[in-house]
């Protein structure tokens, strides 16, 4: 058992900062962190379906208001088309992962983010004007441009944070953006991925893949979310376990046990591994897994002998 001893008065603490945005907590994680997620499974395992269930579960933050989903896939199925029709203002499909398409996606994200900042700043000026606080000429000009918000729908404006975007990339592992981190496109995409939650993106980033090992390691180790369907190749389990072993009490058999249970159910169940401000292992979105420690096993053994 580890023992510690205080040797000075200095501690780590959260540094206070001004100007941060308050994003809503996700229902599926109970956390306000943006998702950097990998959905892995064989063909027809249920990856795209699970991603759509996630979107609809989080519809109030991902599919409503000024939120938007960009679904990138060369194999768009009927379920995805249904979402495109159901959420025409919040769900857009791109049928190939290319630099040109991703440039358009990122440009739209930046434009939406910048527009929100500009409008929010103008509203702050408007609120000063309502309080009879003197404005400088530039502020007066800004209010004139916005017509002093005469026809503005304040109820439709999200004050707490900029627009939330979600990028889902499906069936695109052959792209060097995902599989070749040292290539020109790979470096470009990695730069975006590492900044996905920051300006000018503010987005959840989700990959769907039959071939987890093809996704470059720099991308994979940045994931805070793994949705894993049963695989025939047990070595995949070993690779994922190494990156999240502490959530399984450092026992591979715990990990294998979860995956075996998912396979036994034969109903497209999956392991849901989350490692951020909150940390957990679940089967599907709603069943949390609990693993016994050595001490708990010893306690049960001693109770039995008593």
């Amino acid at each position: 058992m580890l023992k510690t001893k205080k040797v000075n008065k200095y501690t780590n603490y959260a540094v206070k900062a001004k100007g941060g945005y308050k994003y809503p907590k996700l229902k599926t994680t109970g956390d306000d962190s943006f998702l950097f997620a990998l959905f892995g499974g064989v063909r027809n395992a249920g990856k795209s379906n699970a991603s759509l269930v996630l979107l609809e579960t989080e519809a109030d933050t991902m599919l409503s208001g000024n939120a938007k989903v960009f679904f990138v896939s060369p194999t768009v199925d009927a379920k995805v088309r249904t979402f495109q029709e159901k959420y025409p203002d919040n769900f857009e499909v791109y049928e190939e992962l290319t630099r040109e398409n991703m440039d358009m996606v990122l440009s739209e994200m930046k434009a939406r983010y910048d527009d929100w900042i500009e409008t929010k700043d103008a509203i702050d000026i408007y609120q000063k004007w309502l309080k009879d606080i003197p404005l400088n000429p530039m502020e007066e000009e800004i209010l004139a441009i916005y017509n002093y918000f005469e026809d503005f729908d304040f109820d439709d404006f999200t004050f707490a944070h900029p627009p939330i975007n979600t990028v889902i990339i499906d069936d695109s592992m052959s792209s060097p953006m995902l599989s070749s981190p040292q290539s020109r496109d790979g470096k470009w995409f990695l730069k975006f991925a590492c900044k996905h939650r920051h300006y000018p993106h503010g987005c959840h980033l989700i990959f769907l893949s039959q071939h987890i090992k093809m996704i470059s390691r720099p991308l994979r180790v940045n994931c805070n979310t793994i949705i894993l369907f049963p695989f025939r190749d047990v070595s995949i389990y070993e690779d994922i376990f190494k990156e999240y072993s502490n959530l399984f009490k450092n026992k591979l058999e715990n990990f294998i046990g979860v995956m075996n249970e998912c396979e036994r159910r034969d109903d497209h169940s999956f392991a849901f591994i989350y490692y951020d401000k909150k940390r957990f292992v679940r089967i599907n979105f709603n069943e949390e897994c609990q693993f016994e420690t050595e001490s708990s096993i010893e306690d049960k053994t001693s109770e039995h002998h008593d």
Side-chain angles (χ1 to χ4, degrees), residues 33-166:
S33 298
F34 280 93
L35 298 179
F36 194 131
L38 170 58
F39 287 45
V42 298
R43 186 169 61 89
N44 293 325
K47 299 181 296 297
S48 63
N49 186 82
S51 70
L52 296 176
V53 170
L54 172 67
L55 291 179
E56 202 138 59
T57 302
E58 307 291 355
D60 55 341
T61 59
M62 292 185 178
L63 287 169
S64 63
N66 61 2
K68 190 162 185 179
V69 175
F70 302 89
F71 199 101
V72 183
S73 175
T75 54
V76 176
D77 62 19
K79 293 176 183 177
V80 174
R81 293 296 184 197
T82 298
F83 265 62
Q84 191 177 18
E85 295 171 4
K86 187 175 181 179
Y87 303 99
D89 297 327
N90 305 93
F91 193 97
E92 187 172 355
V93 171
Y94 286 82
E95 297 190 1
E96 189 178 3
L97 179 61
T98 63
R99 273 289 293 272
E100 181 182 3
N101 284 344
M102 285 304 299
D103 277 333
M104 287 192 289
V105 169
L106 269 57
S107 294
E108 182 174 342
M109 285 185 190
K110 184 178 185 303
R112 284 155 39 80
Y113 205 128
D114 287 341
D115 182 65
W116 181 89
I117 291 174
E118 182 181 291
T119 303
K120 179 65 168 59
D121 288 345
I123 290 173
D124 291 342
I125 296 170
Y126 176 67
Q127 291 173 336
K128 286 173 59 178
W129 177 76
L130 289 177
K131 296 175 182 178
D132 293 325
I133 298 174
L135 305 181
N136 62 45
M138 182 174 291
E139 290 174 328
E140 292 278 7
E141 183 178 342
I142 289 172
L143 285 189
I145 292 172
Y146 280 86
N147 196 27
Y148 286 77
F149 289 90
E150 185 174 335
D151 300 316
F152 189 80
D153 187 356
F154 288 96
D155 291 335
D156 195 45
F157 186 79
T158 304
F159 286 85
H161 56 78
I164 294 175
N165 301 291
T166 303

Side-chain angles (χ1 to χ4, degrees), residues 163-227:
I164 294 175
N165 301 291
T166 303
V167 174
I168 300 179
I169 299 176
D170 178 32
D171 207 11
S172 302
M173 294 309 109
S174 60
S175 169
M177 290 189 205
L178 305 185
S179 59
S180 304
Q182 297 306 316
S183 68
R184 182 184 177 192
D185 285 349
K187 290 178 180 178
W188 177 87
F189 188 87
L190 183 60
K191 182 179 179 180
F192 151 64
C194 290
K195 292 180 60 179
H196 73 104
R197 60 192 178 95
H198 299 292
Y199 174 84
H201 313 304
C203 80
H204 301 285
L205 183 56
I206 300 172
F207 306 101
L208 313 182
S209 176
Q210 297 180 41
H211 308 286
I212 290 179
K213 291 181 179 180
M214 287 184 65
I215 297 179
S216 68
R217 182 170 173 78
L219 285 176
R220 205 170 69 231
V221 298
N222 272 286
C223 289
N224 63 2
T225 304
I226 300 289
I227 299 291

